[in-house]
Amino acid sequence: PTIVNAAGGTFVDDDASVFEADIEWLAGAGVTLGCNPPVNDRFCPEDNVSRGQMAAFMRRFAEFLGAEDGVVSAADLASNATNAASSAYAADSDLLDGHDSSYFTGNDGYSVWHDAEIAIPTDTTSLLELPNLPSGSYMFIAKTWLYNGGPGEQFAECWLVAGADNDYLRVTLADTNFGVPVTWTVVHTFTDPANEVELRCGDYGFDVSLNNTKITGIRLDSLRNQPG
């Protein structure tokens, strides 16, 4: 099992503030970067905001909503998957990594789904990607069905990769074995504003494929991996 403990958060000077949760949300959304560049480990919660800083906040928040072009009606509402393609987090949701995909983004979750078969190549290749994730702590879950469409026993290797963390599985499939469910789970904290999670696979029998594949990221702010 994965064990998670509370951490200090993005900034070192807001732990005693009643607005700490709001400040952490702003940091996770990329609206605030910090008040002491280039380190940016402080928020300065008691300082006044200049007109220049307010302009930066407003623009970053518009980018978070997907309305950076000034068209508010194109903003990505968390509960409206139809508008997700307009979001800054879904630049090309209908053609993700060459596959037709649906893409959902919200304040607490991010997901990409491919509802058709993806043949696994012989070389390890990224087959599905969840891109442009803001900084923060996440639990990532990937799910698929592995099919063996060829004769004889086959096997495939897959990794769910998030930064330096990954979950690896090697699955052996019997002759014409259809529909083996597989799940990967990774907990990782991103510190940069734009990040990517990948499901990478390699097929060593030429006939194994992914089917109905999905990657979901759930926000777990102020949590981190604990060795054990």
Side-chain angles (χ1 to χ4, degrees):
T2 300
I3 302 173
V4 290
N5 287 339
T10 305
F11 304 112
V12 300
D13 62 345
D14 65 344
D15 294 346
S17 173
V18 297
F19 303 109
E20 182 181 11
D22 304 296
I23 295 169
E24 288 297 324
W25 185 91
L26 285 175
V31 177
T32 183
L33 303 180
C35 65
N36 59 325
V39 179
N40 280 332
D41 61 349
R42 299 174 61 234
F43 179 73
C44 302
E46 302 301 323
D47 287 6
N48 294 326
V49 177
S50 70
R51 290 171 60 87
Q53 290 170 327
M54 179 57 69
F57 287 159
M58 296 293 289
R59 179 178 180 181
R60 292 175 195 149
F61 186 62
E63 291 174 347
F64 173 78
L65 294 177
E68 65 274 11
D69 57 356
V71 182
V72 178
S73 62
D76 171 34
L77 304 179
S79 61
N80 188 347
T82 303
N83 290 332
S86 300
S87 169
Y89 300 137
D92 193 356
S93 62
D94 293 327
L95 191 62
L96 182 62
D97 199 28
H99 305 296
D100 291 332
S101 306
S102 63
Y103 190 93
F104 164 79
T105 68
N107 291 336
D108 300 310
Y110 305 83
S111 184
V112 63
W113 174 56
H114 181 56
D115 62 352
E117 181 179 16
I118 305 175
I120 302 177
T122 54
D123 296 328
T124 300
T125 305
S126 177
L127 298 180
L128 194 61
E129 301 171 356
L130 183 57
N132 298 324
L133 297 167
S135 61
S137 297
Y138 297 85
M139 174 179 287
F140 297 102
I141 302 170
K143 304 177 74 173
T144 193
W145 290 80
L146 285 176
Y147 289 180
N148 177 14
E153 186 177 270
Q154 314 281 353
F155 75 91
E157 294 181 322
C158 293
W159 294 258
L160 179 62
V161 181
D165 295 315
N166 70 85
D167 189 9
Y168 162 78
L169 284 176
R170 170 172 169 161
V171 181
T172 300
L173 301 165
D175 185 16
T176 60
N177 192 334
F178 292 94
V180 176
V182 183
T183 302
W184 299 262
T185 304
V186 173
V187 173
H188 184 74
T189 298
F190 290 115
T191 57
D192 297 325
N195 305 276
E196 182 174 85
V197 176
E198 299 178 330
L199 183 61
R200 304 173 184 169
C201 294
D203 175 10
Y204 298 89
F206 302 98
D207 296 306
V208 181
S209 63
L210 303 175
N211 296 264
N212 293 313
T213 308
K214 186 175 185 178
I215 303 175
T216 300
I218 303 171
R219 290 292 294 267
L220 302 173
D221 283 340
S222 299
L223 300 177
R224 59 182 173 83
N225 279 328
Q226 175 68 27

